[in-house]
Amino acid sequence: MRRALVLLVLAASVLLVVIDRTLTPLAPVREAGASVYGAVESAVATAGRAFGGEERLRELERENAALRARLLSSGTRSVARLDVPAGHQGVAAHVVGFGRGPSVTIDAGASSGVARDVTVLNADGLVGKVTWAGASTASVSLITDAGSSIGARVTGSGELGVVTGVPGEGLRLSLFDPNAPLAVGDQVVTLGSAGGRPYVAGVVIGTVAVLESTPGAAGRTALVRPAARLSALGPVAVIVPEPER
């Protein structure tokens, strides 16, 4: 009985093999398997291409940053034409976020040579100064910050003064000479700090918008409209020392 059962099982197995080889269409099954494998292989290849694409994208971003730096240094109001101290250069960056108060975050940091207390500007004029620098990002305090104090010069007359941030109003220019000539529309530029830090000389700060009258004041004051649109910042340049060779 047991022998007959074994023979029956063997016969059934042989029959299944015969049916499998003669009647079962294995080619479509194999093709389906190949299709699945091919799809997986294709996905892997696509993923590889995607990672390669990301690397290429990063390369293009680096090239674009270099191009932005060249544009900033060759435009009408350029880094090269702003009396940047010898031994300095412009590092191109983009504003990528706004912080608390009048400050922004840029996508360039210490790895690009950005450090604390260096000038930040755009094609229109002065933006602010770097207050913190990480490896690839930095914080910039805008010139409208209440704690901002910038040595300034009025173009044309050459009169000297200080520009400070005024919350809600923009900037205020205080001239050292209370009798100095000053008119609406006068342009105000940076006087420049020792060593070019935090502010290099000759960067446009803004134009006189309102003359103020303060009886008994030690100096003459005026409200200044910033040259740079601080609420709509995009590409900027950070003035940093050239790397040692």
Side-chain angles (χ1 to χ4, degrees):
M1 181 69 179
R2 182 178 299 174
R3 182 178 180 182
L5 181 60
V6 171
L7 290 175
L8 181 61
V9 170
L10 289 175
S13 300
V14 172
L15 179 61
L16 287 173
V17 170
V18 171
I19 293 175
D20 178 71
R21 290 184 178 180
T22 57
L23 300 180
T24 305
L26 294 181
V29 176
R30 292 188 182 123
E31 288 174 3
S35 297
V36 172
Y37 177 79
V40 173
E41 185 178 35
S42 177
V44 172
T46 301
R49 288 195 297 272
F51 284 113
E54 289 179 0
E55 178 59 33
R56 177 55 180 160
L57 179 59
R58 285 191 288 269
E59 181 181 348
L60 289 173
E61 288 175 344
R62 289 191 291 268
E63 293 175 1
N64 287 338
L67 288 173
R68 291 197 301 270
R70 293 174 191 170
L71 287 173
L72 285 168
S73 63
S74 62
T76 304
R77 290 165 289 188
S78 66
V79 174
R81 299 186 185 185
L82 292 172
D83 297 327
V84 176
H88 287 70
Q89 65 180 10
V91 174
H94 266 99
V95 171
V96 294
F98 285 82
R100 291 183 177 180
S103 67
V104 296
T105 300
I106 59 174
D107 61 355
S111 60
S112 301
V114 175
R116 288 187 59 185
D117 294 329
V118 292
T119 305
V120 180
L121 48 77
N122 66 9
D124 296 314
L126 186 64
V127 170
K129 67 178 181 179
V130 174
T131 54
W132 174 86
S136 57
T137 61
S139 296
V140 177
S141 176
L142 302 181
I143 56 177
T144 50
D145 187 281
S148 174
S149 181
I150 309 163
R153 182 190 300 274
V154 179
T155 60
S157 69
E159 293 293 334
L160 303 180
V162 176
V163 170
T164 55
V166 182
E169 296 185 60
L171 303 171
R172 173 171 284 114
L173 168 65
S174 300
L175 294 180
F176 298 142
D177 183 355
N179 301 313
L182 188 64
V184 172
D186 283 351
Q187 189 179 69
V188 183
V189 301
T190 56
L191 179 62
S193 310
R197 298 178 70 173
Y199 299 109
V200 296
V203 182
V204 178
I205 299 173
T207 55
V208 175
V210 178
L211 297 176
E212 294 183 318
S213 177
T214 309
R220 191 167 189 186
T221 63
L223 295 180
V224 174
R225 180 182 299 107
R229 290 184 59 198
L230 302 178
S231 61
L233 292 170
V236 297
V238 186
I239 307 303
V240 301
E242 290 183 346
E244 296 182 0
R245 298 179 180 178

mmCIF file of all heavy atoms in Angstrom, residues 113-162:
data_model
loop_
_atom_site.group_PDB
_atom_site.id
_atom_site.type_symbol
_atom_site.label_atom_id
_atom_site.label_comp_id
_atom_site.label_asym_id
_atom_site.label_seq_id
_atom_site.Cartn_x
_atom_site.Cartn_y
_atom_site.Cartn_z
ATOM 1 N N GLY A 113 34.688 81.951 2.741
ATOM 2 C CA GLY A 113 35.475 83.076 3.209
ATOM 3 C C GLY A 113 34.692 84.117 3.965
ATOM 4 O O GLY A 113 35.241 85.140 4.380
ATOM 5 N N VAL A 114 33.393 83.883 4.170
ATOM 6 C CA VAL A 114 32.546 84.843 4.885
ATOM 7 C C VAL A 114 32.841 84.772 6.381
ATOM 8 O O VAL A 114 32.950 83.687 6.947
ATOM 9 C CB VAL A 114 31.054 84.562 4.619
ATOM 10 C CG1 VAL A 114 30.167 85.479 5.453
ATOM 11 C CG2 VAL A 114 30.752 84.724 3.143
ATOM 12 N N ALA A 115 32.965 85.944 7.007
ATOM 13 C CA ALA A 115 33.248 86.017 8.435
ATOM 14 C C ALA A 115 32.415 87.136 9.049
ATOM 15 O O ALA A 115 31.736 87.880 8.343
ATOM 16 C CB ALA A 115 34.738 86.264 8.669
ATOM 17 N N ARG A 116 32.496 87.271 10.360
ATOM 18 C CA ARG A 116 31.763 88.338 11.044
ATOM 19 C C ARG A 116 32.325 89.703 10.682
ATOM 20 O O ARG A 116 33.489 89.848 10.331
ATOM 21 C CB ARG A 116 31.843 88.149 12.557
ATOM 22 C CG ARG A 116 31.017 87.000 13.095
ATOM 23 C CD ARG A 116 31.033 87.018 14.614
ATOM 24 N NE ARG A 116 30.506 88.275 15.143
ATOM 25 C CZ ARG A 116 30.495 88.596 16.442
ATOM 26 N NH1 ARG A 116 31.005 87.759 17.325
ATOM 27 N NH2 ARG A 116 29.992 89.742 16.833
ATOM 28 N N ASP A 117 31.450 90.693 10.777
ATOM 29 C CA ASP A 117 31.841 92.090 10.593
ATOM 30 C C ASP A 117 32.453 92.373 9.229
ATOM 31 O O ASP A 117 33.513 92.991 9.126
ATOM 32 C CB ASP A 117 32.799 92.523 11.708
ATOM 33 C CG ASP A 117 32.134 92.550 13.071
ATOM 34 O OD1 ASP A 117 30.911 92.827 13.133
ATOM 35 O OD2 ASP A 117 32.814 92.282 14.074
ATOM 36 N N VAL A 118 31.773 91.913 8.185
ATOM 37 C CA VAL A 118 32.154 92.278 6.820
ATOM 38 C C VAL A 118 30.920 92.830 6.115
ATOM 39 O O VAL A 118 29.785 92.563 6.499
ATOM 40 C CB VAL A 118 32.729 91.078 6.034
ATOM 41 C CG1 VAL A 118 34.067 90.645 6.605
ATOM 42 C CG2 VAL A 118 31.757 89.911 6.009
ATOM 43 N N THR A 119 31.168 93.627 5.087
ATOM 44 C CA THR A 119 30.109 94.345 4.381
ATOM 45 C C THR A 119 29.285 93.436 3.483
ATOM 46 O O THR A 119 29.826 92.563 2.798
ATOM 47 C CB THR A 119 30.725 95.459 3.518
ATOM 48 O OG1 THR A 119 31.539 96.289 4.346
ATOM 49 C CG2 THR A 119 29.658 96.303 2.851
ATOM 50 N N VAL A 120 27.976 93.668 3.459
ATOM 51 C CA VAL A 120 27.069 92.979 2.539
ATOM 52 C C VAL A 120 26.335 94.047 1.735
ATOM 53 O O VAL A 120 25.799 95.002 2.293
ATOM 54 C CB VAL A 120 26.049 92.095 3.287
ATOM 55 C CG1 VAL A 120 25.129 91.386 2.298
ATOM 56 C CG2 VAL A 120 26.765 91.087 4.171
ATOM 57 N N LEU A 121 26.322 93.889 0.414
ATOM 58 C CA LEU A 121 25.653 94.861 -0.452
ATOM 59 C C LEU A 121 25.022 94.148 -1.631
ATOM 60 O O LEU A 121 25.224 92.942 -1.822
ATOM 61 C CB LEU A 121 26.653 95.919 -0.938
ATOM 62 C CG LEU A 121 28.006 95.451 -1.513
ATOM 63 C CD1 LEU A 121 27.863 94.934 -2.927
ATOM 64 C CD2 LEU A 121 29.011 96.596 -1.499
ATOM 65 N N ASN A 122 24.250 94.882 -2.409
ATOM 66 C CA ASN A 122 23.756 94.351 -3.681
ATOM 67 C C ASN A 122 23.996 95.396 -4.752
ATOM 68 O O ASN A 122 24.708 96.381 -4.522
ATOM 69 C CB ASN A 122 22.286 93.912 -3.596
ATOM 70 C CG ASN A 122 21.329 95.069 -3.354
ATOM 71 O OD1 ASN A 122 21.708 96.243 -3.398
ATOM 72 N ND2 ASN A 122 20.068 94.750 -3.114
ATOM 73 N N ALA A 123 23.427 95.211 -5.920
ATOM 74 C CA ALA A 123 23.696 96.111 -7.031
ATOM 75 C C ALA A 123 23.160 97.513 -6.787
ATOM 76 O O ALA A 123 23.573 98.462 -7.461
ATOM 77 C CB ALA A 123 23.088 95.546 -8.318
ATOM 78 N N ASP A 124 22.250 97.666 -5.806
ATOM 79 C CA ASP A 124 21.674 98.979 -5.525
ATOM 80 C C ASP A 124 22.411 99.733 -4.432
ATOM 81 O O ASP A 124 22.468 100.967 -4.451
ATOM 82 C CB ASP A 124 20.195 98.838 -5.140
ATOM 83 C CG ASP A 124 19.361 98.290 -6.282
ATOM 84 O OD1 ASP A 124 19.534 98.770 -7.413
ATOM 85 O OD2 ASP A 124 18.548 97.378 -6.042
ATOM 86 N N GLY A 125 22.936 99.014 -3.464
ATOM 87 C CA GLY A 125 23.616 99.707 -2.377
ATOM 88 C C GLY A 125 23.848 98.819 -1.175
ATOM 89 O O GLY A 125 23.771 97.588 -1.246
ATOM 90 N N LEU A 126 24.109 99.467 -0.036
ATOM 91 C CA LEU A 126 24.458 98.763 1.193
ATOM 92 C C LEU A 126 23.264 98.003 1.762
ATOM 93 O O LEU A 126 22.161 98.540 1.841
ATOM 94 C CB LEU A 126 24.982 99.767 2.222
ATOM 95 C CG LEU A 126 25.526 99.199 3.527
ATOM 96 C CD1 LEU A 126 26.763 98.348 3.270
ATOM 97 C CD2 LEU A 126 25.855 100.341 4.492
ATOM 98 N N VAL A 127 23.522 96.776 2.174
ATOM 99 C CA VAL A 127 22.492 95.926 2.778
ATOM 100 C C VAL A 127 22.696 95.819 4.285
ATOM 101 O O VAL A 127 21.765 95.958 5.070
ATOM 102 C CB VAL A 127 22.489 94.528 2.135
ATOM 103 C CG1 VAL A 127 21.590 93.567 2.907
ATOM 104 C CG2 VAL A 127 22.043 94.620 0.679
ATOM 105 N N GLY A 128 23.919 95.560 4.703
ATOM 106 C CA GLY A 128 24.193 95.410 6.129
ATOM 107 C C GLY A 128 25.561 94.827 6.357
ATOM 108 O O GLY A 128 26.471 94.972 5.537
ATOM 109 N N LYS A 129 25.700 94.133 7.477
ATOM 110 C CA LYS A 129 26.970 93.494 7.820
ATOM 111 C C LYS A 129 26.702 92.099 8.379
ATOM 112 O O LYS A 129 25.638 91.836 8.944
ATOM 113 C CB LYS A 129 27.749 94.326 8.837
ATOM 114 C CG LYS A 129 27.084 94.402 10.204
ATOM 115 C CD LYS A 129 27.933 95.195 11.200
ATOM 116 C CE LYS A 129 27.268 95.242 12.574
ATOM 117 N NZ LYS A 129 28.081 95.981 13.561
ATOM 118 N N VAL A 130 27.669 91.222 8.220
ATOM 119 C CA VAL A 130 27.544 89.855 8.739
ATOM 120 C C VAL A 130 27.751 89.879 10.249
ATOM 121 O O VAL A 130 28.716 90.455 10.747
ATOM 122 C CB VAL A 130 28.575 88.928 8.076
ATOM 123 C CG1 VAL A 130 28.541 87.537 8.725
ATOM 124 C CG2 VAL A 130 28.314 88.815 6.583
ATOM 125 N N THR A 131 26.830 89.262 10.971
ATOM 126 C CA THR A 131 26.941 89.183 12.429
ATOM 127 C C THR A 131 27.256 87.774 12.925
ATOM 128 O O THR A 131 27.641 87.596 14.078
ATOM 129 C CB THR A 131 25.643 89.658 13.101
ATOM 130 O OG1 THR A 131 24.537 88.908 12.567
ATOM 131 C CG2 THR A 131 25.421 91.141 12.842
ATOM 132 N N TRP A 132 27.061 86.771 12.060
ATOM 133 C CA TRP A 132 27.366 85.381 12.411
ATOM 134 C C TRP A 132 27.597 84.618 11.132
ATOM 135 O O TRP A 132 26.903 84.840 10.131
ATOM 136 C CB TRP A 132 26.215 84.740 13.191
ATOM 137 C CG TRP A 132 26.405 83.272 13.447
ATOM 138 C CD1 TRP A 132 27.070 82.687 14.475
ATOM 139 C CD2 TRP A 132 25.941 82.193 12.615
ATOM 140 N NE1 TRP A 132 27.048 81.327 14.351
ATOM 141 C CE2 TRP A 132 26.362 80.985 13.221
ATOM 142 C CE3 TRP A 132 25.217 82.146 11.425
ATOM 143 C CZ2 TRP A 132 26.072 79.740 12.671
ATOM 144 C CZ3 TRP A 132 24.929 80.894 10.875
ATOM 145 C CH2 TRP A 132 25.353 79.712 11.499
ATOM 146 N N ALA A 133 28.597 83.735 11.133
ATOM 147 C CA ALA A 133 28.895 82.934 9.945
ATOM 148 C C ALA A 133 29.067 81.477 10.317
ATOM 149 O O ALA A 133 29.923 81.129 11.142
ATOM 150 C CB ALA A 133 30.155 83.450 9.255
ATOM 151 N N GLY A 134 28.214 80.629 9.731
ATOM 152 C CA GLY A 134 28.376 79.196 9.866
ATOM 153 C C GLY A 134 29.183 78.672 8.689
ATOM 154 O O GLY A 134 29.785 79.439 7.939
ATOM 155 N N ALA A 135 29.175 77.352 8.499
ATOM 156 C CA ALA A 135 29.958 76.765 7.414
ATOM 157 C C ALA A 135 29.433 77.177 6.043
ATOM 158 O O ALA A 135 30.198 77.524 5.145
ATOM 159 C CB ALA A 135 29.968 75.247 7.539
ATOM 160 N N SER A 136 28.104 77.156 5.870
ATOM 161 C CA SER A 136 27.540 77.436 4.549
ATOM 162 C C SER A 136 26.456 78.506 4.560
ATOM 163 O O SER A 136 25.880 78.801 3.518
ATOM 164 C CB SER A 136 26.965 76.150 3.955
ATOM 165 O OG SER A 136 25.985 75.588 4.815
ATOM 166 N N THR A 137 26.153 79.065 5.709
ATOM 167 C CA THR A 137 25.169 80.155 5.799
ATOM 168 C C THR A 137 25.701 81.231 6.737
ATOM 169 O O THR A 137 26.635 81.001 7.504
ATOM 170 C CB THR A 137 23.801 79.672 6.310
ATOM 171 O OG1 THR A 137 23.960 79.132 7.626
ATOM 172 C CG2 THR A 137 23.204 78.621 5.386
ATOM 173 N N ALA A 138 25.074 82.404 6.675
ATOM 174 C CA ALA A 138 25.482 83.502 7.550
ATOM 175 C C ALA A 138 24.289 84.391 7.844
ATOM 176 O O ALA A 138 23.334 84.455 7.064
ATOM 177 C CB ALA A 138 26.605 84.310 6.912
ATOM 178 N N SER A 139 24.349 85.084 8.975
ATOM 179 C CA SER A 139 23.312 86.038 9.357
ATOM 180 C C SER A 139 23.808 87.447 9.058
ATOM 181 O O SER A 139 24.955 87.782 9.345
ATOM 182 C CB SER A 139 22.973 85.919 10.847
ATOM 183 O OG SER A 139 22.420 84.649 11.132
ATOM 184 N N VAL A 140 22.911 88.242 8.507
ATOM 185 C CA VAL A 140 23.252 89.611 8.136
ATOM 186 C C VAL A 140 22.304 90.567 8.851
ATOM 187 O O VAL A 140 21.082 90.465 8.725
ATOM 188 C CB VAL A 140 23.133 89.817 6.611
ATOM 189 C CG1 VAL A 140 23.431 91.271 6.243
ATOM 190 C CG2 VAL A 140 24.061 88.874 5.877
ATOM 191 N N SER A 141 22.877 91.497 9.612
ATOM 192 C CA SER A 141 22.089 92.549 10.258
ATOM 193 C C SER A 141 21.906 93.669 9.251
ATOM 194 O O SER A 141 22.879 94.211 8.724
ATOM 195 C CB SER A 141 22.826 93.059 11.504
ATOM 196 O OG SER A 141 22.122 94.143 12.084
ATOM 197 N N LEU A 142 20.653 94.017 8.965
ATOM 198 C CA LEU A 142 20.376 95.052 7.979
ATOM 199 C C LEU A 142 20.698 96.434 8.528
ATOM 200 O O LEU A 142 20.727 96.649 9.739
ATOM 201 C CB LEU A 142 18.910 94.983 7.550
ATOM 202 C CG LEU A 142 18.437 93.656 6.946
ATOM 203 C CD1 LEU A 142 16.966 93.753 6.543
ATOM 204 C CD2 LEU A 142 19.293 93.273 5.741
ATOM 205 N N ILE A 143 20.924 97.385 7.629
ATOM 206 C CA ILE A 143 21.300 98.732 8.042
ATOM 207 C C ILE A 143 20.182 99.446 8.798
ATOM 208 O O ILE A 143 20.433 100.441 9.475
ATOM 209 C CB ILE A 143 21.733 99.574 6.826
ATOM 210 C CG1 ILE A 143 20.632 99.606 5.756
ATOM 211 C CG2 ILE A 143 23.020 99.048 6.250
ATOM 212 C CD1 ILE A 143 20.962 100.480 4.560
ATOM 213 N N THR A 144 18.949 98.939 8.696
ATOM 214 C CA THR A 144 17.824 99.555 9.408
ATOM 215 C C THR A 144 17.711 99.070 10.845
ATOM 216 O O THR A 144 16.826 99.524 11.577
ATOM 217 C CB THR A 144 16.510 99.267 8.672
ATOM 218 O OG1 THR A 144 16.413 97.861 8.395
ATOM 219 C CG2 THR A 144 16.444 100.038 7.352
ATOM 220 N N ASP A 145 18.592 98.167 11.280
ATOM 221 C CA ASP A 145 18.572 97.698 12.661
ATOM 222 C C ASP A 145 18.815 98.884 13.598
ATOM 223 O O ASP A 145 19.642 99.754 13.321
ATOM 224 C CB ASP A 145 19.650 96.643 12.864
ATOM 225 C CG ASP A 145 19.569 96.006 14.240
ATOM 226 O OD1 ASP A 145 20.050 96.652 15.199
ATOM 227 O OD2 ASP A 145 19.051 94.891 14.356
ATOM 228 N N ALA A 146 18.103 98.902 14.722
ATOM 229 C CA ALA A 146 18.217 100.011 15.666
ATOM 230 C C ALA A 146 19.637 100.171 16.199
ATOM 231 O O ALA A 146 20.045 101.272 16.583
ATOM 232 C CB ALA A 146 17.236 99.816 16.818
ATOM 233 N N GLY A 147 20.394 99.082 16.212
ATOM 234 C CA GLY A 147 21.759 99.146 16.719
ATOM 235 C C GLY A 147 22.789 99.467 15.648
ATOM 236 O O GLY A 147 23.988 99.526 15.933
ATOM 237 N N SER A 148 22.330 99.687 14.431
ATOM 238 C CA SER A 148 23.249 99.958 13.330
ATOM 239 C C SER A 148 23.789 101.390 13.404
ATOM 240 O O SER A 148 23.039 102.344 13.649
ATOM 241 C CB SER A 148 22.531 99.747 11.995
ATOM 242 O OG SER A 148 23.355 100.129 10.917
ATOM 243 N N SER A 149 25.080 101.545 13.178
ATOM 244 C CA SER A 149 25.717 102.864 13.171
ATOM 245 C C SER A 149 26.801 102.852 12.100
ATOM 246 O O SER A 149 27.766 102.087 12.198
ATOM 247 C CB SER A 149 26.321 103.178 14.546
ATOM 248 O OG SER A 149 26.921 104.453 14.550
ATOM 249 N N ILE A 150 26.633 103.692 11.088
ATOM 250 C CA ILE A 150 27.506 103.652 9.915
ATOM 251 C C ILE A 150 28.106 105.027 9.658
ATOM 252 O O ILE A 150 27.377 106.015 9.503
ATOM 253 C CB ILE A 150 26.717 103.208 8.663
ATOM 254 C CG1 ILE A 150 25.943 101.922 8.937
ATOM 255 C CG2 ILE A 150 27.654 103.039 7.468
ATOM 256 C CD1 ILE A 150 24.854 101.642 7.924
ATOM 257 N N GLY A 151 29.422 105.096 9.601
ATOM 258 C CA GLY A 151 30.070 106.334 9.220
ATOM 259 C C GLY A 151 29.696 106.670 7.787
ATOM 260 O O GLY A 151 29.722 105.810 6.910
ATOM 261 N N ALA A 152 29.306 107.935 7.545
ATOM 262 C CA ALA A 152 28.767 108.289 6.232
ATOM 263 C C ALA A 152 29.346 109.597 5.710
ATOM 264 O O ALA A 152 29.867 110.425 6.461
ATOM 265 C CB ALA A 152 27.246 108.386 6.311
ATOM 266 N N ARG A 153 29.222 109.754 4.400
ATOM 267 C CA ARG A 153 29.641 110.967 3.717
ATOM 268 C C ARG A 153 28.569 111.350 2.702
ATOM 269 O O ARG A 153 28.027 110.477 2.005
ATOM 270 C CB ARG A 153 30.968 110.748 2.997
ATOM 271 C CG ARG A 153 31.516 111.993 2.297
ATOM 272 C CD ARG A 153 32.695 111.646 1.397
ATOM 273 N NE ARG A 153 33.792 111.063 2.144
ATOM 274 C CZ ARG A 153 34.738 111.765 2.761
ATOM 275 N NH1 ARG A 153 34.695 113.094 2.740
ATOM 276 N NH2 ARG A 153 35.717 111.157 3.391
ATOM 277 N N VAL A 154 28.263 112.641 2.625
ATOM 278 C CA VAL A 154 27.308 113.140 1.633
ATOM 279 C C VAL A 154 28.091 113.454 0.364
ATOM 280 O O VAL A 154 29.052 114.235 0.393
ATOM 281 C CB VAL A 154 26.587 114.404 2.125
ATOM 282 C CG1 VAL A 154 25.612 114.910 1.063
ATOM 283 C CG2 VAL A 154 25.852 114.122 3.436
ATOM 284 N N THR A 155 27.719 112.813 -0.723
ATOM 285 C CA THR A 155 28.441 113.057 -1.977
ATOM 286 C C THR A 155 28.177 114.499 -2.421
ATOM 287 O O THR A 155 27.129 115.069 -2.178
ATOM 288 C CB THR A 155 27.986 112.079 -3.075
ATOM 289 O OG1 THR A 155 26.585 112.248 -3.303
ATOM 290 C CG2 THR A 155 28.256 110.637 -2.679
ATOM 291 N N GLY A 156 29.141 115.062 -3.081
ATOM 292 C CA GLY A 156 29.011 116.456 -3.517
ATOM 293 C C GLY A 156 29.622 117.384 -2.487
ATOM 294 O O GLY A 156 30.686 117.957 -2.702
ATOM 295 N N SER A 157 28.981 117.517 -1.345
ATOM 296 C CA SER A 157 29.505 118.412 -0.307
ATOM 297 C C SER A 157 30.640 117.772 0.475
ATOM 298 O O SER A 157 31.491 118.466 1.038
ATOM 299 C CB SER A 157 28.376 118.808 0.656
ATOM 300 O OG SER A 157 27.955 117.695 1.434
ATOM 301 N N GLY A 158 30.642 116.437 0.548
ATOM 302 C CA GLY A 158 31.684 115.758 1.314
ATOM 303 C C GLY A 158 31.472 115.797 2.811
ATOM 304 O O GLY A 158 32.339 115.345 3.578
ATOM 305 N N GLU A 159 30.341 116.311 3.264
ATOM 306 C CA GLU A 159 30.071 116.421 4.702
ATOM 307 C C GLU A 159 29.997 115.030 5.342
ATOM 308 O O GLU A 159 29.475 114.079 4.754
ATOM 309 C CB GLU A 159 28.773 117.182 4.949
ATOM 310 C CG GLU A 159 28.824 118.647 4.561
ATOM 311 C CD GLU A 159 29.759 119.453 5.448
ATOM 312 O OE1 GLU A 159 29.988 119.043 6.619
ATOM 313 O OE2 GLU A 159 30.253 120.509 4.995
ATOM 314 N N LEU A 160 30.502 114.972 6.585
ATOM 315 C CA LEU A 160 30.564 113.697 7.287
ATOM 316 C C LEU A 160 29.475 113.606 8.349
ATOM 317 O O LEU A 160 29.020 114.626 8.893
ATOM 318 C CB LEU A 160 31.923 113.523 7.950
ATOM 319 C CG LEU A 160 33.147 113.601 7.028
ATOM 320 C CD1 LEU A 160 34.425 113.410 7.839
ATOM 321 C CD2 LEU A 160 33.045 112.568 5.920
ATOM 322 N N GLY A 161 29.088 112.368 8.633
ATOM 323 C CA GLY A 161 28.080 112.151 9.656
ATOM 324 C C GLY A 161 27.949 110.677 9.985
ATOM 325 O O GLY A 161 28.806 109.857 9.638
ATOM 326 N N VAL A 162 26.863 110.342 10.638
ATOM 327 C CA VAL A 162 26.591 108.957 11.028
ATOM 328 C C VAL A 162 25.166 108.611 10.620
ATOM 329 O O VAL A 162 24.239 109.408 10.834
ATOM 330 C CB VAL A 162 26.754 108.765 12.550
ATOM 331 C CG1 VAL A 162 26.360 107.344 12.946
ATOM 332 C CG2 VAL A 162 28.173 109.065 12.983
#
